[in-house]
């Protein structure tokens, strides 16, 4: 009725009104609207089991899958969920925590430059908290914390690993970076930090920083994967794993001579004392160069302060094996899935490798059609389903049989409208599970 | 031929077009002297030109790129006189490095460009002409404004009875650029920590000087020109991770020596032939100091230099009453010398030679009472490159290649009635890969020497109208355009270490309508307007290309009062820019909102035109402006200037 009255009024007003109305309609038509359903964090009708990060490194969306790996939504939240400001809702460099938060949230780590961790309640879609990986005083400074991982310690605290050192000599304590920052979950503010200055060294005149990466909890100890790289990532020092006592904050380290860039860590399933550590080799090199110092290590830390290697696989021990570089997924105590990233400039495609430490074999489970398309996946032991993101196809799925073989299931297109490449898949814990 | 006393000659009015010598082209000419706005910049002038799109990254002196007809920013070729201006890596040219004071006029050729200037671009060509000596005057001016703005300039021009004319301009500008902006600090769902922040490390200090001399020589004219530009200041970086100490210094020096002659029996009021030979050199030095690794990948203290030398000859001859011929040849040598003081390994230099030749017959005649002109152009470019990577792990990846790039254009114009013409053109254009695309930068970008040039085929058709009806003067043009591009180069991530590499993948289709209008009523009232409506789609994904608004409009009414007491002339103006919302990402999820920007100002000449006072308020309603996410633009700001003119 109101629209009808408005139309009559415009028509009765003569040509000036008509011109004005036409002009308004024209301006309206010239404004763009996203062609997809709005990713508005609407409450979900079912509990998702997996979060899939899809991104082209400029725009990012979070797709959700159910227990079977079927698509619930291709974008629960995305870069355009809120109007852009100085940043977009989600930046182009987002990752999911290596350990699914036990508080039943979907947690997103917006990395380099944005430096914000967002905690979203599942399935309600309520944004519980957005936490800065810097102190409050660093708005518009040159420091980029580059948070890599988020580990909830208890109901009151969480730890964030920060990859970048702050080279500004005037930086205050909480903004020195290259550390693990302790977050008070009640206030959302930084409450302390553990730095790893003792791991800093010089290699051929180039300063090497600890560059803490992934965090894993082993009883009262937090294991911290150390990338130990220079500021430009081109020079690496001997790989290392740090251990920080949750109560005393005491630190110990375990070095891996001959291996470098050992930032990725994952717990051995059903163990609170053993870890897998993936050493990706030298960055920016071709496969030949990366292979020299890449490998996989199993570490046992049965008692605080005492850790030791219990297994090592070096890529050079396996002929022309494409060096494992990402996507560390333990299947059980002896078998691990890793992704060997290819290199477009050398026409090498990505591979999914199954490393069996029991008989020291490496099997190529899957070979992609392109390079840098396979990412970090996850394994749901209860359903025996392995999911690996393939940027060129979606979520690739396998069933792990009792005979320890992998049977492929149909691949799920996780971004049918946006066509965003799938890059990471992690499980979402429910509060009951935790 | 000698003219007789009181003899009269009839000169036929040219076919209606913005550039009368080139009626087939879609062109706009902006005279850059005696503008109403204070401290106007080249990108602001471009608002009057339809089909243009400016992208700014901050306040005064920040990187500013220009796109024509929806093409990429590096598809615009910018010339200073006839000297090509390029960034050291061959990417988009920073328009903010050309102060308005050194210019006489700006000619914008959308799509095709005249054969005479021997340059082309997929989007088009912007030719910035250096300031000329029109009379014997001197002027000095001071400006001050918001955000710590201070500017001073002096200019003088004159001539001798022997015909030598000269002009010299110098100026210095400083701005703190510390404007405020809303910073949500990356937490879009939590407004409690939002702050009004101030831009830091964005201050800029720049100076420029121009010398331009012309002298008669051997029945022709010798022209010498030299421009120097220096800028130093902070490199603010994106606002969400602004820098504190990163610093950049840019030096640019260009000079040219040109000799031209015209002669022969006049035909249609035009000389029967003209000929020109020119040599030029351009040197630029770009120093970036990022000792804390605040932007990019790691610490850098770079000092990149590039040299461009050019020789060019152009001739035009009326062969028959209905046929003329333009021929241009052009040789260019580019040398790029990168250096990073913190790099463990030294970088090799790169060189690129281009030889281009173009031939354009110009046929003209009449169809009944309607005059017509036809201009087919063929251009051949030979590019020989010896390029070296400056990424440490790819230093051995040198490349030498020779590439032949033919392009064409066909332009036609038809006079419908005196003062109204129909013009159309079709052309092909090519952009060869830039240094960054071929060899990457020192950061996350890896190059690929196998890249093919980007190619485009474009066409346009439109009507121009110029005339006078009583006290009303009108200049107006409307054109529809269509451009199909292929092998567009895009960067995508190529390996686990976060490197990005370029690929020839994208295809795009861009079409639209552009119109401009200049109306004047007597001497008091004038109106300048431009409107561009376009659609730009990625043909591969069927999504809209990012950063291209569908509609842009600009309107500036002016009112001039003469002899108001001691004020000889006062000009009041208001202007409004409209830009529709647009996608900022390739998948079309992030929308930058529509934008209205209002401004107003006044300019007064007094004391027998010797003293000039002016003031301009930009962004009157303090709108939150951004051309790209992460780079806020200044809010409301005011500039006041005073200029003293003296006749010599």
């Amino acid at each position: 009725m109101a629209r009808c009255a408005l139309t009559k009024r415009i028509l009765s007003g003569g040509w000036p009104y008509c011109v004005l109305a036409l002009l308004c309609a024209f301006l309206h038509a010239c404004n763009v609207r996203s062609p997809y359903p709005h990713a508005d964090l609407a409450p979900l009708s079912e509990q998702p089991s997996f979060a899939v990060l899809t991104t082209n490194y400029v725009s990012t969306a979070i797709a959700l899958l159910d227990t079977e790996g079927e698509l619930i939504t291709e974008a629960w939240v995305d870069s355009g969920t809120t109007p852009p400001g100085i940043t977009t809702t989600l930046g182009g460099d987002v990752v999911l925590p290596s350990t699914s938060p036990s508080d039943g949230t979907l947690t997103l780590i917006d990395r380099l430059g944005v430096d914000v961790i967002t905690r979203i309640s599942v399935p309600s879609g309520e944004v519980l908290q957005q936490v800065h990986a810097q102190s409050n005083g660093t708005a518009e400074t040159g420091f980029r914390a580059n948070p890599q991982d988020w580990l909830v310690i208890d109901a009151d605290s969480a730890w964030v690993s920060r990859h970048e050192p702050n080279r500004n000599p005037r930086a205050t304590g909480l903004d020195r970076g290259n550390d693990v920052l302790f977050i008070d979950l009640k206030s959302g503010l930084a409450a302390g930090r553990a730095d790893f200055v003792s791991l800093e060294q010089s290699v051929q005149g180039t300063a090497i920083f600890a560059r803490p990466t992934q965090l894993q909890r082993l009883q009262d100890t937090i294991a911290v994967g150390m990338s130990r790289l220079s500021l430009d990532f081109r020079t690496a020092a001997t790989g290392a794993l740090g251990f920080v006592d949750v109560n005393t904050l005491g630190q110990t380290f375990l070095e891996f001579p001959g291996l470098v860039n050992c930032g990725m860590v994952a717990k051995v399933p059903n163990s609170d004392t053993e870890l897998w550590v993936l050493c990706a080799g030298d960055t920016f090199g071709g496969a030949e160069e990366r292979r020299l110092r890449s490998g996989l290590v199993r570490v046992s830390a049965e008692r605080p302060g005492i850790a030791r290697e219990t297994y090592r696989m070096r890529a050079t021990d396996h002929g022309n094996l494409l060096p494992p570089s990402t996507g560390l997924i333990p299947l059980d105590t002896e078998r691990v899935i890793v992704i060997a990233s290819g290199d477009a400039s050398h026409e090498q495609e990505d591979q999914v490798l199954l490393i069996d430490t029991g008989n020291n074999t490496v099997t190529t489970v899957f070979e992609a059609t392109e390079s840098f398309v396979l990412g970090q996946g996850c394994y749901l032991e209860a359903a025996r389903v392995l999911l690996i993101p393939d940027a060129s196809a979606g979520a690739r799925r396998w069933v792990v049989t009792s005979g320890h073989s992998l049977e492929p299931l149909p691949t799920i297109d996780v971004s049918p409208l946006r066509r965003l490449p799938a890059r990471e898949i992690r499980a979402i814990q429910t509060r009951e599970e935790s | 031929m000698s003219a007789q006393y009181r003899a009269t000659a009839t000169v036929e009015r040219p076919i209606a077009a913005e550039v009368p010598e080139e009626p087939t082209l879609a062109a706009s000419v902006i005279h850059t002297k005696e503008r109403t706005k204070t401290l106007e910049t080249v990108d602001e002038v471009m608002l009057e030109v339809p089909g243009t799109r400016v992208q700014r990254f901050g306040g005064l002196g920040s990187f500013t790129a220009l796109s024509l007809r929806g093409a990429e920013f590096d598809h615009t070729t910018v010339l200073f006189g006839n000297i090509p201006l390029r960034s050291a890596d061959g990417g988009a040219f920073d328009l903010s490095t050309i102060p308005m004071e050194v210019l006489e006029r700006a000619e914008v050729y959308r799509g095709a460009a005249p054969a005479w200037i021997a340059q082309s671009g997929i989007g088009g060509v912007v030719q910035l002409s250096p300031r000329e000596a029109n009379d014997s005057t001197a002027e000095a001016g001071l400006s001050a404004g918001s955000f710590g703005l201070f500017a001073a300039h002096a200019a003088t021009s004159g001539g001798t009875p022997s015909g030598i004319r000269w002009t010299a301009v110098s100026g210095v500008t400083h701005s703190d650029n510390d404007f405020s902006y809303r910073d949500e600090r990356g937490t879009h769902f939590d407004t409690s920590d939002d702050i009004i922040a101030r831009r830091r490390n964005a201050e800029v200090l720049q100076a420029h000087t121009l010398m331009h001399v012309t002298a008669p020589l051997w029945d022709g004219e010798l022209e010498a020109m030299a421009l120097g530009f220096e800028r130093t200041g902070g490199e603010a970086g994106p606002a969400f991770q602004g820098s504190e100490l990163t610093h950049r210094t840019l030096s640019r020096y260009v000079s040219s020596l040109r000799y031209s002659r015209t002669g022969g029996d006049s035909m249609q009021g035009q000389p029967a032939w003209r000929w020109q030979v020119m040599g030029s050199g351009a040197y630029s030095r770009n120093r970036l100091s990022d000792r804390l690794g605040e932007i990019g990948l790691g610490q850098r203290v770079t000092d990149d230099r590039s040299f461009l030398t050019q020789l060019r000859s152009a001739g035009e001859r009326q062969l028959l009453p209905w046929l003329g011929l333009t021929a241009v040849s052009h040789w260019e040598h580019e040398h790029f010398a990168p250096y990073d003081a913190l790099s463990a390994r030294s970088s090799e230099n790169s060189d690129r030679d281009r030889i281009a030749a173009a031939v354009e017959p110009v046929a003209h005649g009449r169809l009944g009472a309607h005059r017509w002109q036809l201009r087919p152009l063929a251009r051949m470019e030979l590019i020989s490159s010896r390029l070296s990577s400056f990424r440490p792990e790819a230093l051995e990846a040198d490349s030498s290649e020779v590439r032949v790039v033919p392009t064409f254009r066909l332009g036609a114009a038809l006079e419908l009635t005196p003062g109204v013409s129909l013009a159309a053109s079709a052309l092909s254009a090519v952009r060869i890969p830039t240094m960054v695309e071929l060899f990457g930068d020192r950061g996350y970008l890896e190059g690929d020497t196998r890249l093919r040039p980007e190619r485009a085929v474009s066409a346009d058709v439109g009507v121009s109208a110029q005339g006078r009806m009583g006290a009303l003067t009108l200049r107006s043009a409307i054109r529809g355009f269509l451009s199909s591009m292929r092998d567009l180069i895009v960067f995508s991530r190529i390996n686990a270490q976060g490197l990005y590499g370029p690929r020839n993948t994208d295809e795009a289709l861009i079409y639209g309508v552009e119109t401009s209008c200049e109306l004047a009523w007597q001497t008091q009232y004038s109106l300048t307007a431009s409107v561009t409506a376009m659609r730009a789609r990625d043909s591969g994904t069927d999504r809209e290309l990012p950063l291209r608004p569908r509609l842009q409009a600009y309107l500036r009414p002016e009112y001039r009062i003469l002899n108001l007491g001691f004020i000889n002339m006062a000009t009041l103006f208001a202007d409004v820019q409209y830009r529709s919302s647009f996608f900022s990402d390739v998948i079309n999820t992030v929308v930058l909102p529509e934008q209205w920007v209002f401004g107003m100002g006044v300019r007064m000449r007094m004391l027998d035109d010797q003293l000039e006072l002016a003031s301009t308020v930009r962004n009157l309603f303090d709108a939150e402006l951004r051309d790209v996410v992460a780079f806020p633009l200044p809010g409301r700001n005011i500039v006041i200037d005073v200029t003293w003119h003296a006749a010599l």
Side-chain angles (χ1 to χ4, degrees):
Chain A
M1 281 297 281
R3 184 174 294 179
C4 209
L6 182 65
T7 308
K8 274 184 184 169
R9 189 165 176 176
I10 288 170
L11 290 174
S12 63
W15 68 266
Y17 286 93
C18 290
V19 169
L20 196 62
L22 282 172
L23 187 64
C24 289
F26 180 62
L27 292 184
H28 182 71
C30 285
N31 281 298
V32 298
R33 280 161 292 279
S34 182
Y36 320 112
H38 187 48
D40 56 0
L41 281 172
L44 301 166
S45 56
E46 60 180 307
Q47 175 70 33
S49 294
F50 302 99
V52 186
L53 181 94
T54 60
T55 182
N56 58 7
Y57 302 110
V58 175
S59 309
T60 299
I62 301 296
L64 299 173
L65 308 180
D66 65 15
T67 313
E68 307 296 318
E70 299 295 334
L71 190 64
I72 297 173
T73 172
E74 74 164 65
W76 198 33
V77 58
D78 72 10
S79 293
T81 293
T82 57
I86 294 305
T87 57
T88 52
T89 314
L90 297 178
D93 185 16
V94 178
V95 292
L96 301 163
S98 66
T99 303
S100 303
S102 55
D103 54 6
T105 62
L106 169 68
T107 299
L108 308 173
I109 304 167
D110 216 327
R111 296 198 295 190
L112 193 67
V114 182
D115 300 342
V116 166
I117 293 98
T118 302
R119 301 171 63 221
I120 303 167
S121 176
V122 181
S124 74
E126 181 192 355
V127 177
L128 301 174
Q129 198 171 35
Q130 290 199 286
V131 176
H132 293 280
Q134 300 185 358
S135 75
N136 266 336
T138 54
E140 206 184 331
T141 68
F143 176 48
R144 302 174 294 177
N146 197 4
Q148 297 289 301
D149 204 3
W150 167 268
L151 183 67
V152 175
I153 304 298
D154 53 40
D156 297 327
S157 63
W159 289 17
V160 186
S161 57
R162 304 196 296 182
H163 212 49
E164 292 296 313
N166 191 342
R167 302 289 290 155
N168 192 329
R170 291 186 283 116
T172 58
L174 288 177
D175 288 320
R176 290 206 179 119
N178 189 35
D179 55 15
V180 171
L181 194 68
F182 311 141
I183 302 294
D184 174 9
L185 287 177
K186 292 262 187 320
S187 66
L189 299 176
R193 64 191 281 270
D195 72 19
F196 303 100
V197 176
S198 58
L199 282 183
E200 293 180 9
Q201 67 176 91
S202 176
V203 173
Q204 295 168 344
T206 303
I208 303 294
F209 299 90
R211 288 193 181 271
T213 309
Q214 291 192 339
L215 307 170
Q216 287 291 328
R217 182 160 194 167
L218 300 173
Q219 297 170 337
D220 282 342
T221 303
I222 306 300
V224 185
M226 303 290 184
S227 293
R228 300 196 80 193
L229 296 167
S230 60
L231 267 187
D232 65 0
F233 299 90
R234 290 196 164 94
T235 311
T238 301
L241 186 65
F243 297 91
V244 183
D245 189 297
V246 174
N247 302 311
T248 65
L249 301 183
Q251 298 177 6
T252 55
F253 301 99
L254 176 64
E255 288 203 330
F256 308 117
L259 301 176
V260 296
N261 198 3
C262 305
M264 300 193 78
V265 292
K267 281 204 303 194
V268 172
N270 305 316
S271 169
D272 258 349
T273 58
E274 284 191 300
L275 288 166
W276 292 107
V277 181
L278 178 64
C279 301
D282 291 281
T283 56
F284 295 116
E288 296 298 323
E289 196 177 342
R290 284 185 283 132
R291 183 185 297 119
L292 296 174
R293 299 203 284 176
S294 72
L296 181 73
V297 180
R298 187 169 56 208
V299 173
S300 173
E302 285 166 2
R303 282 179 294 162
I306 300 175
R308 59 189 174 86
E309 269 189 55
T310 56
Y311 171 83
R312 175 182 288 211
M313 187 235 34
R314 292 174 61 114
T316 48
D317 297 338
H318 293 266
N320 291 327
L321 180 73
L322 203 55
S325 52
T326 188
L328 175 62
I329 311 171
L331 295 180
D332 52 39
T333 51
E334 291 189 338
R335 295 181 311 147
V336 176
I337 292 285
V338 293
I339 303 299
S341 295
D343 200 325
S345 52
H346 295 88
E347 295 180 353
Q348 292 163 330
E349 283 77 43
D350 290 358
Q351 293 174 352
V352 177
L353 305 179
L354 173 62
I355 300 173
D356 191 330
T357 60
N359 53 25
N360 202 23
T361 58
V362 180
T363 312
T364 302
V365 174
F366 173 75
E367 185 160 348
T369 54
E370 294 176 51
S371 63
F372 195 65
V373 289
L374 301 180
Q376 174 69 55
C378 72
Y379 174 56
L380 199 62
E381 195 176 0
R384 301 183 71 86
V385 173
L386 171 71
L387 290 107
I388 291 177
D390 182 338
S392 65
R396 293 201 178 273
R397 298 184 299 171
W398 288 265
V399 169
V400 181
T401 65
S402 53
H404 294 180
S405 63
L406 273 69
E407 300 290 334
L409 295 172
T411 300
I412 302 294
D413 185 352
V414 293
S415 189
L417 298 176
R418 287 168 176 75
R419 309 306 311 163
L420 277 172
R423 300 290 182 184
E424 186 176 3
I425 303 177
R426 298 283 189 181
I428 298 175
Q429 282 196 45
T430 59
R431 286 179 192 278
E432 294 75 41
E433 283 172 348
S434 63
Chain B
M1 190 175 74
S2 61
Q4 301 217 339
Y5 177 60
R6 302 191 78 172
T8 58
T10 304
V11 176
E12 200 169 25
R13 179 178 163 168
I15 295 175
E18 191 74 17
V19 180
E21 304 82 33
E22 298 280 354
T24 64
L25 300 179
S28 296
V29 181
I30 308 285
H31 294 276
T32 51
K33 278 163 57 174
E34 299 188 3
R35 304 277 301 177
T36 317
K37 270 188 184 176
T38 54
L39 224 59
E40 200 168 23
T41 54
V42 176
D43 64 280
E44 284 183 303
V45 167
M46 293 300 156
L47 291 169
E48 296 175 20
V49 181
T52 60
R53 175 174 54 103
V54 167
Q55 191 173 56
R56 296 159 297 167
F57 285 77
L60 187 85
S62 59
F63 187 85
T64 304
L66 178 74
S67 154
L68 297 173
R69 289 183 167 172
E72 297 292 337
F73 293 101
D74 51 14
H75 290 167
T76 304
T77 300
V78 181
L79 307 174
F80 187 71
N82 281 104
I83 308 168
L85 299 175
R86 299 197 179 95
S87 63
D89 59 23
F93 177 71
D94 181 1
L95 273 188
S96 76
T97 59
I98 301 292
M100 281 278 282
E101 287 148 11
V102 305
L103 300 182
E104 184 72 20
R105 65 186 176 278
E107 293 168 29
V108 181
Y109 297 98
R110 301 179 296 280
W116 185 258
I117 63 176
Q119 297 283 342
S120 66
I122 288 179
V125 175
V126 177
Q127 187 175 30
L128 305 169
S129 299
R131 185 172 171 135
E132 295 167 1
N134 298 317
D135 43 22
S136 294
T137 58
E139 70 175 52
L142 286 174
S143 307
S146 311
F147 316 130
L149 174 70
F150 170 80
H153 83 276
T156 181
S157 59
T160 67
S162 60
I164 297 172
R165 290 179 297 138
W166 50 270
T167 187
V169 186
S170 283
V172 60
T173 307
H174 170 269
S175 177
D176 290 330
N177 281 325
D178 58 343
F179 56 88
S180 57
Y181 62 97
R182 180 179 302 280
D183 184 358
E184 77 282 347
R185 301 188 63 215
T187 55
H188 282 254
F189 298 107
D190 179 2
T191 54
S192 67
D193 62 352
D194 290 5
I195 55 171
I196 301 297
R198 276 194 175 275
R199 210 72 170 101
R200 282 164 43 174
N201 195 35
E203 78 286 348
V204 64
L205 174 66
Q206 63 187 42
H208 60 268
T209 188
L210 170 80
M211 280 292 298
H212 190 187
V213 182
T214 57
L217 181 70
W218 301 323
D219 296 331
E221 186 182 70
L222 184 69
E223 180 194 78
M225 186 275 297
L227 170 71
F229 178 83
E230 290 273 347
R231 173 187 286 163
T232 184
E235 181 69 42
F240 63 83
Q241 56 173 63
S243 69
E244 282 189 278
L245 300 172
T246 304
H247 192 272
R248 187 185 290 277
T249 301
L250 173 72
S251 309
R252 174 175 294 127
Y253 295 90
V254 298
S255 62
S256 67
L257 191 65
R258 188 171 76 184
Y259 180 70
S260 43
R261 276 182 75 169
T262 59
D265 291 337
S266 174
M267 289 188 187
Q268 309 278 333
Q270 299 289 321
W273 58 264
R274 64 171 168 156
W275 171 79
Q276 192 180 81
V277 61
M278 189 187 97
S280 69
Y283 164 74
S284 73
R285 183 178 182 193
N286 191 357
R287 283 166 282 176
L288 176 73
S289 172
D290 181 11
R291 291 184 178 276
L292 302 184
E294 292 179 311
I295 58 175
L297 191 61
Q299 300 150 290
R300 287 175 294 173
V301 179
T302 62
D303 186 353
D304 299 336
R305 298 163 199 240
S306 64
F307 305 85
L308 176 78
T309 47
Q310 178 194 226
L311 284 176
R312 149 196 147 85
S313 72
E316 199 171 73
R317 186 167 183 86
Q318 198 67 29
L319 301 173
L320 297 167
W322 58 274
L323 181 68
L325 185 74
T326 302
V328 185
S329 65
H330 171 85
W331 169 80
E332 220 178 85
H333 176 74
E334 284 178 89
H335 177 76
F336 180 54
Y339 173 73
D340 185 350
L342 301 184
S343 175
R345 298 166 71 176
S346 62
S347 310
E348 293 294 317
N349 300 336
S350 294
D351 295 276
R352 185 142 63 185
D353 289 279
R354 296 175 193 227
I355 299 172
V359 178
E360 183 188 63
V362 183
H364 49 88
R366 285 181 182 276
L367 274 173
H370 306 287
R371 285 182 292 167
W372 58 267
Q373 198 174 99
L374 194 66
R375 288 174 176 256
L377 178 144
R379 179 180 152 88
M380 186 69 80
E381 202 169 354
L382 186 82
I383 301 161
S384 168
S385 311
R386 191 191 65 77
L387 306 163
S388 304
S389 171
F390 46 76
R391 264 184 3 93
E393 57 280 352
L395 286 176
E396 73 286 357
D398 287 5
S399 158
S400 293
E401 65 163 19
V402 176
R403 203 182 281 274
V404 178
V405 182
T407 53
F408 74 88
R409 177 173 82 84
L410 178 64
L414 175 70
E415 185 178 54
L416 301 174
T417 63
V420 180
S421 68
L422 175 71
S425 67
L427 72 141
S428 69
V430 167
R431 182 184 73 83
I432 58 170
T434 65
M435 296 289 290
V436 165
E437 289 161 350
L438 289 166
F439 282 107
D441 64 0
R442 294 188 173 83
Y444 294 100
L445 303 181
E446 189 175 65
D448 190 339
T449 53
R450 296 166 298 181
L451 286 174
R452 297 183 300 278
E454 297 181 325
R455 294 175 186 277
V457 179
S458 308
D460 63 30
V461 59
V463 176
S464 293
Q466 295 176 357
R468 184 185 288 265
M469 278 189 351
L472 182 72
T473 309
L474 168 75
R475 292 172 73 89
S476 183
I478 183 167
R479 286 236 178 189
F481 59 89
L482 173 74
S483 185
S484 171
M485 302 177 192
R486 63 188 168 89
D487 283 338
L488 291 180
I489 297 168
V490 294
F491 279 87
S492 54
R493 195 161 166 175
I494 55 167
N495 70 7
Q497 288 80 44
L499 276 182
Y500 287 74
R503 285 189 299 176
N504 289 103
T505 56
D506 275 11
E507 294 183 6
L509 183 69
I510 302 172
Y511 56 92
V513 177
E514 61 196 19
T515 181
S516 62
C517 178
E518 281 178 49
L519 272 172
W521 175 260
Q522 295 176 332
T523 53
Q524 285 106 319
Y525 303 97
S526 66
L527 182 74
T528 305
S530 73
V531 178
T532 308
M534 73 176 179
R535 293 294 293 270
R537 295 197 75 79
D538 182 324
S539 310
T541 61
D542 200 31
R543 291 179 178 131
E544 288 203 28
L545 292 175
L547 305 174
R548 280 136 173 113
R550 291 179 185 174
L551 180 67
Q552 286 189 113
Y554 178 72
L555 186 72
R556 190 183 67 237
E558 287 191 6
Y559 174 54
R560 184 171 294 179
I561 312 164
L562 297 174
N563 302 319
L564 188 70
F566 65 94
I567 299 171
N568 307 113
M569 186 179 74
T571 308
L572 303 167
F573 80 91
D575 68 352
V576 56
Q577 305 166 41
Y578 173 76
R579 188 193 69 194
S580 65
S581 60
F582 59 88
F583 295 114
S584 80
D585 60 343
V586 293
I587 67 153
N588 295 174
T589 57
V590 179
V591 177
L592 273 175
E594 67 179 335
Q595 199 164 277
W596 292 89
V597 188
F598 294 85
M600 60 184 294
V602 61
R603 180 168 290 273
M604 292 180 290
R605 281 176 170 259
M606 56 192 77
L607 303 177
D608 294 330
D609 286 346
Q610 289 189 98
L611 182 66
E612 197 172 333
L613 293 175
S615 175
T616 300
V617 182
R618 292 174 169 86
N619 193 4
L620 188 63
F621 300 114
D622 207 18
E624 285 184 18
L625 306 179
R626 267 164 301 155
D627 288 341
V628 277
V629 173
F631 290 89
L633 299 174
R636 179 173 45 241
N637 62 94
I638 184 167
V639 179
I640 297 169
D641 76 28
V642 54
T643 309
W644 183 263
H645 299 268
L648 296 177

